[in-house]
Amino acid sequence: MDVGFAYGLHRFDRKGNPMTARYDFHTHTVHLKCANETMTIPAMVVEAARLGVTKLGITDHLNTFDKLPLHECIRADIDAVETSVDIYLGVELNYMGCDGEFAYNEETRDKLGFQFAIGGIHATYLKEYDLGKIIDIQHRHHLATCENPLVDVLVHPYWFGKYHFDREEWPWFDSVACVPESYARELGQVAKETNTAIEINGSANLVNSGNPPEYVDGYADYLAIVAEQGCLFSVGSDAHDIKRMSTVEATWAMVERLGLPDDRIWSPKCAPYKRA
Ligand SMILES: [Zn+2]
Ligand SMILES: [Zn+2]
């Protein structure tokens, strides 16, 4: 695998093109109470600028329609903030039940002015441990997410909430080596066909203290198979605390490790919601 090379502050891909896609398209705010009080829009913008982020996506959860008014508050904060970073208004979607739907449609998108949506599965939907079933259910939802025309980015493939495994006393999912290669290939192919970006997620997958040190190497191998199919990738910190925004740097390093040029890194086609 080609890792590109660095010269001074500028990094280059293997063809010698500068790599400038320093984005973060997955962040949470204090408004939905999933992120903590450090994740205010003004603080996020300052931290993004410090990290060298050039495009920042605000993507708080919309798990149920009744949370929509909270997204109005996020928009008001973005309207008020001074920024040196381009800001995009997005949303993160979660399935309402196994093989369920997202709390999202064109009307919701247009009412709130969401410029993009990221989405995916956030549970095993199982009562009893069965590794094969766990993977099959994830894969099925991954493909369904890609097929959904309202979703731009599939979030954090094969992330799981560790608390759930611990509570059930299940063996922790500490490696993606158990994911069949055929699933990785199919995901990459469907992502390419549907023009959905596959997310490289800082906090959930790459910088997660719940995982052993070798997890990231295995995850890189998995992503490399997905990448061979020619799909786009999105990068994001998934920060819920301001200190975790720096995990986006691990996603940029992964992009270099995979040898992905800038034109394989997704960003919304539209102008920013708020320009730097
Ligand atoms: Zn998520
Ligand atoms: Zn998230």
Side-chain angles (χ1 to χ4, degrees):
M1 199 178 301
D2 202 305
V3 295
F5 59 95
Y7 179 75
L9 285 175
H10 301 283
R11 292 182 176 277
F12 299 85
D13 67 19
R14 59 187 164 180
K15 289 182 187 152
N17 301 311
M19 299 174 76
T20 55
R22 293 295 190 247
Y23 309 152
D24 186 348
F25 278 113
H26 191 155
T27 60
H28 295 280
T29 79
V30 66
H31 288 293
L32 272 287
K33 305 293 175 212
C34 183
N36 67 25
E37 71 289 346
T38 64
M39 293 299 276
T40 64
I41 296 291
M44 290 163 74
V45 164
V46 168
E47 180 63 358
R50 188 188 73 80
L51 291 164
V53 170
T54 54
K55 296 184 183 183
L56 174 66
I58 309 295
T59 56
D60 226 327
H61 298 285
L62 182 59
N63 293 345
T64 49
F65 283 110
D66 62 313
K67 296 288 191 291
L68 269 175
L70 297 174
H71 285 265
E72 303 268 18
C73 302
I74 295 171
R75 226 168 72 158
D77 281 1
I78 300 174
D79 288 341
V81 77
E82 289 267 331
T83 181
S84 59
V85 176
D86 284 346
I87 304 175
Y88 292 77
L89 182 63
V91 62
E92 179 174 9
L93 308 173
N94 184 15
Y95 284 98
M96 296 188 287
C98 191
D99 297 309
E101 304 201 325
F102 291 132
Y104 199 62
N105 51 42
E106 273 119 335
E107 193 188 334
T108 307
R109 178 193 64 194
D110 296 342
K111 184 162 180 276
L112 270 288
F114 291 123
Q115 298 178 298
F116 68 100
I118 67 177
I121 179 168
H122 291 76
T124 62
Y125 297 121
L126 284 177
K127 293 214 162 59
E128 281 177 29
Y129 182 77
D130 182 325
L131 183 58
K133 277 190 192 163
I134 287 174
I135 293 169
D136 284 353
I137 290 170
Q138 296 296 306
H139 182 57
R140 195 165 83 220
H141 286 78
H142 292 163
L143 298 185
T145 305
C146 291
E147 300 282 2
N148 187 323
L150 296 179
V151 178
D152 300 284
V153 176
L154 169 70
V155 293
H156 45 61
Y158 297 103
W159 165 83
F160 295 96
K162 191 160 188 302
Y163 48 86
H164 175 64
F165 280 66
D166 289 350
R167 189 186 64 207
E168 302 291 335
E169 297 182 351
W170 292 355
W172 175 227
F173 191 93
D174 61 359
S175 166
V176 289
C178 50
V179 176
E181 266 194 47
S182 61
Y183 283 13
R185 273 197 300 277
E186 188 179 16
L187 179 61
Q189 286 160 7
V190 173
K192 178 155 171 61
E193 282 162 23
T194 59
N195 208 24
T196 310
I198 302 299
E199 185 180 67
I200 302 173
N201 186 303
S203 292
N205 296 103
L206 299 185
V207 191
N208 183 334
S209 61
N211 292 329
E214 61 272 19
Y215 176 93
V216 172
D217 287 338
Y219 204 77
D221 293 343
Y222 163 76
L223 289 174
I225 298 167
V226 177
E228 277 170 16
Q229 317 310 315
C231 62
L232 297 175
F233 287 84
S234 178
V235 288
S237 66
D238 202 357
H240 289 68
D241 180 293
I242 201 81
K243 290 197 196 82
R244 296 288 283 171
M245 281 186 69
S246 63
T247 67
V248 78
E249 293 176 315
T251 73
W252 302 340
M254 183 59 77
V255 165
E256 285 164 27
R257 178 170 174 169
L258 295 170
L260 296 170
D262 274 359
D263 62 7
R264 295 279 302 277
I265 307 305
W266 174 87
S267 72
K269 298 263 188 298
C270 56
Y273 178 82
K274 185 152 192 178
R275 244 184 227 294

